[in-house]
Amino acid sequence: MIWDWEFAISILPEILRGLGVTLLAVFWGMTIALSLGLVWATARRSTNRLVAWPVACFVEFVRSTPLLVQIFFLFYVLPSLGLTLSPLLAGVVALGIHYSCYTSEVYRAGINAVPRGQWEAARALSFSRWESYRYVILPQAIPPIIPALGNYVIAMFKDAPLLSAITVLEILQRAKIIGNETFRYLEPFTVVGVIFLILSLLSGLLLTRLERRLKLVSA
Amino acid sequence: MPPPIDLLPSLMDGLRRTLVIAAGGSVLAIAFALLAGLGCLSRDPIVRTVARVYIEVFRGTSALVQLFWFYFALPILLGLRLDAMLVGVLVLGLNIGAYGAEVVRSAIESVPAGQVQAAAALSMNRWQTMRYIVLPQAILLMLPPFGNLLIELLKSTALVSMITVTDLTRAGLFLRDDTLRTAEVFGMLLLIYFSLSLMITAVMRGLERWLSHGQDYGGRQ
Amino acid sequence: MNESRPPILRIRDLHKWYDDLHILRGLSCDLRAGEKVAIIGPSGSGKSTLLRLLMTLESPDSGEIEVDGQAMWSTTPAGRTVAAGEDVLRRIRAKLGMVFQHFHLFPHLTVLRNITAAPQIVKGIARDAAERRAGELLEMVGLADKANAYPAQLSGGQKQRVAIARALAMDPSVMLFDEVTSALDPELVGEVQDVLRQLAHQAAMTMLIVTHEMQFAREIADHVMFFDAGTIVEQGAPEQIFSAPKEDRTREFLQRVIDR
């Protein structure tokens, strides 16, 4: 047998510790992505072109370039500007910024789907632009897009192993270290793959149920 | 050459590899997407299951984990060493192909049922219906999401730098070690990838216009 | 009409359920070659379902269908309803042509290619022969000048005339018309009915016409069937059905649609 069950089980605790770091990175990364994305989305709808245009270009640029290079850029370039981030922090910020450019598109679609009449009604009640967003538009725009945002949580989870490139001790990095130390690569990488598969399938199922419930609520 | 243009020649070799991997991966991805997408709609339950499992496995795990598994773990099972470039092309093709399969499936499913019934009423069999009636209509629907997937694939080529392939990204890392011009090198990399993405977008737009020529469903007068 | 020849369509005790809805309840009827039959009746009475079963777009739950003496659906000695083999079905289907309420033209093909596609692909007819035949058919439906147009450029009436030409190009011996004027604006109904009238003059063509246009049914058909609740309530010559219906349900239905 090439596959060694005993070895596979013995490395499980170490790999699960790595999974903890991965999930932590996704949690904070998604927190950044959800807030920044909303900022980009509203900025792109701004009537001031000096705001809308640069943001649109930035979002397009980030979406069109590799996350890995962006991670390197943040990790290696910021110190030369006098801002040194720990590998994990740099990675979290990179994940957050990268995915904010995707969530911003989701927010935009959600906001665009709110009927024009709602803006006009808010205006008629003399809400300011900010108040219109806060009390009228966003409460209607966000619930329908929660499943789409959820998909980006899963996507970010699958991109989080890229942080191993800047030595973050996340799940893949730990598997690699185990492999390098024991010269057994089959078990660690397979275990990591299976963990990803299980968690993705589970969260996918969860998301479908959430989607169904949201549809019921809105129906 | 003025900086940072003087960095370009040292990146050319890497860029060439990135392009080869992106091109090879795209061809494979389209092939896998069509195979698995049609497989999902097959009447044979075994074919359907195989297609479904392929899609779930490659969409459910991380592309980087897949690269590591195929490069480090698979050779142990096969008993032979695989070329890193080859692994890169294969894994990116399989990974993006799995996402593409869903695009193919949903595009085919969105062709109205009446089209299939009309073909059946004209005695076409399943294959003829697919080949002459459904696919030509579905392909137009597939193009925009496929364009996005090809950009995803281009971006994912950077991951092969982590399994020792000296692509554009890895060439950049080496160049940074040599020159210590960190911001310029990484800025250059980002600009090159961005230009390549723009090119893909332009090509896909052109393809869309070319394919929809003369069959504007809105009614070209 | 020669009564001794076997019917071109023979339907026995056909049942079809949609979940809880018993849409066909033991339908039986015969059609002789060359007959022009109009099927009338309220919506949901199973008229269109019968056509869809004939075209094998759906399967019956029980019953028998024979086309030109060949069994399409038959009952085994054990009482199960089974379909003929795939190649037999395809041969039978080739004898039937169908025109749909919503046209279902292929939007990615020109009018000419819509008509030549099936003859070329299914029957393997050479391109120029298929195009010559398509040209004749387009002439017949009055659309010779639209050969290179795309469906999206046509009016509803023109689309439906192309759909008729497309079905005829396969040289069917039975044509099924499923409410072919229901989706049309009132001013376009006439041009499609004209094509049907023209077809009705062809002695060999068997036509099964599901329609809501009573005046048209009376004029074009030599036999009328009144469907209600999944069975044929009454059938006979158009004069008899429309002027002197025997059944109350027929009378009520005709009153309702004619008052409208």
Side-chain angles (χ1 to χ4, degrees):
Chain A
M1 245 327 234
I2 311 174
W3 175 267
D4 184 346
W5 275 109
E6 214 167 301
F7 176 60
I9 289 166
S10 73
I11 60 175
L12 209 51
E14 176 66 11
I15 285 180
L16 287 179
R17 250 195 305 280
L19 177 64
V21 176
T22 301
L23 292 177
L24 190 77
V26 171
F27 176 81
W28 288 112
M30 209 58 207
T31 309
I32 296 176
L34 287 177
S35 2
L36 264 187
L38 192 54
V39 173
W40 304 148
T42 47
R44 281 185 80 169
R45 286 182 62 95
S46 163
T47 45
N48 184 348
R49 288 220 191 126
L50 282 178
V51 177
W53 235 82
V55 170
C57 289
F58 175 76
V59 167
E60 273 318 304
F61 186 83
V62 172
R63 279 159 52 96
S64 306
T65 50
L67 172 60
L68 183 63
V69 181
Q70 292 164 10
I71 292 174
F72 286 143
F73 189 90
L74 276 183
F75 185 62
Y76 291 118
V77 175
L78 284 188
S80 62
L81 303 174
L83 186 64
T84 305
L85 303 178
S86 76
L88 181 59
L89 189 57
V92 164
V93 172
L95 278 177
I97 291 177
H98 188 79
Y99 274 89
S100 72
C101 295
Y102 285 89
T103 56
S104 99
E105 294 300 294
V106 179
Y107 282 125
R108 251 157 51 92
I111 293 170
N112 287 342
V114 177
R116 268 186 75 83
Q118 293 295 311
W119 283 103
E120 288 161 6
R123 174 66 49 84
L125 296 169
S126 57
F127 280 12
S128 72
R129 204 175 157 74
W130 154 246
E131 286 163 342
S132 308
Y133 267 122
R134 167 74 183 77
Y135 296 103
V136 180
I137 304 304
L138 290 183
Q140 299 179 64
I142 289 179
I145 58 169
I146 287 174
L149 293 174
N151 274 324
Y152 281 117
V153 178
I154 302 179
M156 186 190 278
F157 172 55
K158 288 183 286 192
D159 266 345
L162 269 64
L163 303 196
S164 64
I166 51 169
T167 71
V168 175
L169 280 173
E170 50 66 69
I171 185 165
L172 186 64
Q173 181 73 355
R174 302 223 185 195
K176 212 160 85 184
I177 290 172
I178 295 170
N180 289 339
E181 282 169 354
T182 60
F183 298 107
R184 298 199 62 102
Y185 290 101
L186 182 59
E187 291 85 357
F189 289 137
T190 307
V191 167
V192 169
V194 170
I195 289 176
F196 266 96
L197 193 57
I198 293 172
L199 286 180
S200 301
L201 289 179
L202 277 183
S203 37
L205 274 179
L206 223 68
L207 219 56
T208 327
R209 285 183 57 175
L210 182 73
E211 206 168 343
R212 213 170 300 145
R213 182 164 315 166
L214 282 171
K215 271 201 191 109
L216 281 182
V217 170
S218 66
Chain B
M1 276 186 279
I5 308 293
D6 61 325
L7 294 170
L8 265 180
S10 328
L11 294 173
M12 276 307 154
D13 238 22
L15 174 60
R16 195 179 47 79
R17 271 194 204 94
T18 290
L19 291 178
V20 169
I21 294 171
S26 301
V27 171
L28 273 188
I30 291 168
F32 286 130
L34 281 172
L35 274 179
L38 291 173
C40 281
L41 301 167
S42 163
R43 275 194 290 197
D44 186 339
I46 297 172
V47 174
R48 271 207 310 272
T49 311
V50 170
R52 217 49 254 174
V53 167
Y54 156 65
I55 292 171
E56 292 301 338
V57 166
F58 278 89
R59 277 163 39 109
T61 54
S62 159
L64 187 58
V65 174
Q66 288 159 24
L67 275 174
F68 275 47
W69 196 88
F70 274 75
Y71 187 64
F72 293 109
L74 186 63
I76 299 171
L77 287 176
L78 296 178
L80 57 96
R81 192 119 198 100
L82 295 173
D83 175 62
M85 275 279 272
L86 191 72
V87 168
V89 171
L90 183 67
V91 168
L92 293 182
L94 283 167
N95 181 274
I96 299 294
Y99 288 90
E102 294 287 64
V103 170
V104 170
R105 184 186 58 79
S106 70
I108 287 175
E109 282 177 344
S110 63
V111 172
Q115 293 291 308
V116 177
Q117 292 174 3
L122 293 168
S123 303
M124 293 192 193
N125 61 29
R126 267 174 76 90
W127 159 247
Q128 290 164 338
T129 305
M130 191 52 88
R131 161 79 181 75
Y132 295 101
I133 305 304
V134 176
L135 271 185
Q137 297 183 52
I139 279 176
L140 265 184
L141 299 172
M142 294 177 202
L143 277 184
F146 253 120
N148 289 335
L149 281 181
L150 292 187
I151 290 178
E152 286 304 314
L153 189 139
L154 169 74
K155 287 160 55 183
S156 302
T157 58
L159 302 183
V160 300
S161 65
M162 297 183 66
I163 56 165
T164 74
V165 178
T166 307
D167 71 326
L168 181 58
T169 299
R170 197 169 161 92
L173 287 170
F174 287 149
L175 191 59
R176 167 186 171 267
D177 290 343
D178 292 347
T179 62
L180 297 177
R181 289 155 63 184
T182 307
E184 283 169 78
V185 170
F186 287 126
M188 204 60 164
L189 290 190
L190 289 173
L191 276 179
I192 296 175
Y193 280 113
F194 183 59
S195 324
L196 294 177
S197 295
L198 288 183
M199 277 181 225
I200 294 178
T201 309
V203 168
M204 292 308 284
R205 288 243 172 90
L207 203 60
E208 237 170 288
R209 215 168 305 134
W210 180 67
L211 271 179
S212 62
H213 177 74
Q215 41 170 295
D216 184 349
Y217 299 168
R220 183 181 51 112
Q221 291 306 315
Chain C
M1 205 151 291
N2 187 354
E3 297 280 346
S4 63
R5 269 182 50 194
I8 190 146
L9 272 184
R10 183 175 170 277
I11 293 162
R12 285 293 172 274
D13 199 25
L14 210 54
H15 285 268
K16 173 72 183 171
W17 293 79
Y18 291 130
D19 295 323
D20 290 342
L21 183 65
H22 198 174
I23 189 86
L24 286 184
R25 308 176 179 221
L27 187 95
S28 299
C29 63
D30 288 335
L31 253 74
R32 285 186 307 277
E35 224 175 350
K36 322 294 189 242
V37 176
I39 301 180
I40 59 171
S43 40
S45 59
K47 310 184 297 289
S48 296
T49 305
L50 174 64
L51 298 198
R52 297 175 65 81
L53 290 178
L54 286 172
M55 211 67 241
T56 55
L57 298 176
E58 286 171 43
S59 328
D61 292 304
S62 69
E64 296 175 12
I65 300 177
E66 271 176 28
V67 179
D68 211 2
Q70 272 180 306
M72 184 182 243
W73 289 89
S74 49
T75 311
T76 60
R80 283 208 358 237
T81 299
V82 291
E86 190 55 44
D87 43 335
V88 177
L89 279 183
R90 202 169 306 139
R91 221 163 348 164
I92 294 176
R93 212 160 32 208
K95 295 181 182 166
L96 308 173
M98 182 161 179
V99 183
F100 299 87
Q101 182 179 357
H102 294 287
F103 334 126
H104 297 332
L105 290 184
F106 304 132
H108 61 300
L109 303 178
T110 61
V111 165
L112 186 71
R113 282 292 292 149
N114 259 281
I115 301 173
T116 59
Q120 281 184 249
I121 296 164
V122 177
K123 289 191 164 173
I125 290 174
R127 187 190 180 116
D128 47 333
E131 286 182 355
R132 216 170 318 123
R133 174 89 176 109
E136 291 166 18
L137 288 166
L138 280 175
E139 195 78 48
M140 185 198 123
V141 300
L143 290 171
D145 56 326
K146 296 289 185 187
N148 294 314
Y150 281 89
Q153 297 164 255
L154 303 181
S155 73
Q158 292 171 329
K159 282 183 195 167
Q160 198 57 298
R161 288 188 277 155
V162 172
I164 295 172
R166 179 176 73 174
L168 288 173
M170 292 294 277
D171 288 321
S173 36
V174 181
M175 281 285 278
L176 312 174
F177 295 93
D178 187 8
E179 301 190 19
V180 291
T181 57
S182 302
L184 299 178
D185 291 334
E187 75 272 19
L188 302 177
V189 169
E191 61 188 65
V192 173
Q193 290 183 342
D194 283 342
V195 173
L196 291 181
R197 278 189 199 100
Q198 221 179 314
L199 266 183
H201 290 309
Q202 299 182 9
M205 177 66 73
T206 312
M207 293 167 76
L208 195 51
I209 307 157
V210 170
T211 183
H212 285 301
E213 310 274 342
M214 296 307 142
Q215 200 50 52
F216 181 66
R218 181 174 193 157
E219 173 200 334
I220 197 171
D222 40 45
H223 192 83
V224 175
M225 295 175 175
F226 171 63
F227 272 42
D228 193 17
T231 51
I232 299 173
V233 174
E234 184 172 0
Q235 55 179 318
E239 282 312 308
Q240 182 255 307
I241 298 283
F242 288 108
S243 309
K246 292 192 192 99
E247 302 288 330
D248 290 343
R249 272 148 83 192
T250 317
R251 206 169 306 128
E252 276 163 32
F253 170 75
L254 288 174
Q255 219 128 49
R256 222 172 36 240
V257 289
I258 286 161
D259 283 351
R260 205 171 42 186

